[in-house]
Amino acid sequence: MSSTSYGQRSLYKDNKAVQVGDVLTVILQENISGSTSADAQNASNAGTGAGGSVGGNFMPFQPTFGADAEVNYESGEQVSSNQGQLLEGYMSVEVTDMTPAGNLIVEGTRSTEINGEKHEIDISGTVRPKDINGRNEVLSYRLANAQINYEKEGGLNRITKKEGFIKRAALTVAGIGLSAIAVLKAMN
């Protein structure tokens, strides 16, 4: 029996990962937050007018007609986004290699499916043996060159649409159409 495997089973030593193939637990404590904000103002105007008179000797009075229509479209938009991500839990990883300085290269993957939602997490990084506690655990923020990837598939997706050019164009066409109707009514 080698001294390393004896140390792993000893009553007097901590059971810590020390070589390739050993497993240790990563305590996930990732708390990331950020915020963004943006202000945008948009305005467009469409106006039209018509005026005139019709006259002649055959009529005892002089009729006049006129029409006017105006469409204003203004949009004030404020976008504010606050995002926070909290990833907590436990995950086991395996020692896959060692650096010349004696640090442990670790990797692990975990995949679960809950109510049709697939959750997958991948972790890799470098751990100093002195950062491993007596219960063979290391905090995630103690991993050097950490790559922590969490993905979720399924569930509800939120879709947002922005108002834009099409809405402004439709309002402009509607304004011109209303003006034309007003002119035609005044002529009748």
Side-chain angles (χ1 to χ4, degrees), residues 25-44:
T25 301
V26 175
I27 301 171
L28 294 166
Q29 289 188 346
E30 299 295 321
N31 188 359
I32 301 168
S33 62
S35 65
T36 59
S37 65
D39 291 335
Q41 300 245 340
N42 191 7
S44 63

Side-chain angles (χ1 to χ4, degrees), residues 12 22 29-30 38 52 55 57 87 100 119-120 127 134 144 149 159 171 180:
Y12 304 105
D22 287 348
Q29 289 188 346
E30 299 295 321
N57 292 340
L87 185 60
H119 302 263
E120 188 170 304
V127 178
N149 183 29
I159 300 173
L171 286 172

Side-chain angles (χ1 to χ4, degrees), residues 6-15:
Y6 179 76
Q8 290 289 327
R9 294 188 183 103
S10 172
L11 294 174
Y12 304 105
K13 284 189 166 185
D14 291 332
N15 186 14

Side-chain angles (χ1 to χ4, degrees), residues 38-159:
D39 291 335
Q41 300 245 340
N42 191 7
S44 63
N45 296 315
T48 184
S53 64
V54 176
N57 292 340
F58 61 92
M59 299 179 89
F61 61 92
Q62 187 172 358
T64 60
F65 68 90
D68 193 16
E70 186 175 324
V71 175
N72 291 319
Y73 171 76
E74 292 183 28
S75 173
E77 188 174 330
Q78 290 183 329
V79 177
S80 178
S81 172
N82 292 317
Q83 183 177 11
Q85 296 181 359
L86 179 64
L87 185 60
E88 292 182 332
Y90 296 88
M91 184 172 159
S92 295
V93 294
E94 183 177 0
V95 177
T96 58
D97 202 0
M98 293 181 70
T99 67
N103 294 326
L104 309 174
I105 308 294
V106 296
E107 292 181 12
T109 299
R110 181 178 196 128
S111 180
T112 58
E113 188 169 333
I114 301 168
N115 295 330
E117 292 181 345
K118 184 178 180 181
H119 302 263
E120 188 170 304
I121 188 164
D122 300 311
I123 296 178
S124 64
T126 305
V127 178
R128 295 182 301 189
K130 70 180 184 178
D131 289 334
I132 301 172
N133 69 19
R135 294 188 305 204
N136 198 34
E137 299 170 332
V138 65
L139 297 167
S140 63
Y141 56 81
R142 294 278 188 201
L143 268 77
N145 303 318
Q147 296 286 322
I148 301 172
N149 183 29
Y150 173 75
E151 292 184 22
K152 179 179 122 177
E153 293 178 16
L156 297 174
N157 293 328
R158 209 171 80 185
I159 300 173

